[in-house]
Amino acid sequence: GLSEDEFLDFLQDIEDPPYITEFFDKQSDSYLALPWLFKLAYKSLACRCAALGLGDGCCTGENVELSFVGLRDDPEERQALTPAQQAIAAEYRADMCNSVAAVFEE
């Protein structure tokens, strides 16, 4: 999964459209310096881990991460999930994309 710092790296690596690159070059040198909407998106997505079957405590403590479950196009990973988890993973993937896009629109 993505830690807070890796989430920042992910955002900083977005190259298209160019204004996003410019935004992160000027605005954010650490996760804590991100605008609050990005941090809110990170935390809300990270807390979907329990619904993805990663355990009840996966959303607390220092090891909170954005899970990759449902984000990779991996048939083996999909087959390892129950049908209910597959549906949740598909929703999670859509939520991940929509959350990041919505923050950029603000």
Side-chain angles (χ1 to χ4, degrees):
L2 291 178
S3 68
E4 292 174 348
D5 290 335
E6 291 166 332
F7 180 65
L8 173 64
D9 290 342
F10 163 76
L11 294 172
Q12 289 174 327
D13 286 345
I14 297 173
E15 296 178 352
D16 190 34
Y19 70 84
I20 293 174
T21 302
E22 293 171 18
F23 174 84
F24 286 109
D25 284 346
K26 295 176 184 172
Q27 297 289 326
S28 301
D29 58 354
S30 72
Y31 174 83
L32 294 176
L34 283 172
W36 71 273
L37 282 173
F38 285 100
K39 292 185 275 192
L40 177 66
Y42 176 84
K43 293 295 185 187
S44 64
L45 290 166
C47 286
R48 297 285 304 273
C49 60
L52 293 168
L54 301 177
D56 291 334
C58 61
C59 183
T60 59
E62 295 180 17
N63 295 323
V64 174
E65 294 183 327
L66 278 183
S67 173
F68 289 137
V69 173
L71 298 180
R72 291 182 280 228
D73 191 19
D74 183 347
E76 289 181 28
E77 182 178 275
R78 256 192 318 277
Q79 290 174 352
L81 301 174
T82 67
Q85 287 173 323
Q86 288 178 17
I88 292 168
E91 290 173 16
Y92 175 68
R93 182 178 188 155
D95 286 349
M96 172 70 167
C97 296
N98 291 334
S99 294
V100 172
V103 171
F104 280 118
E105 289 179 9
E106 290 298 317

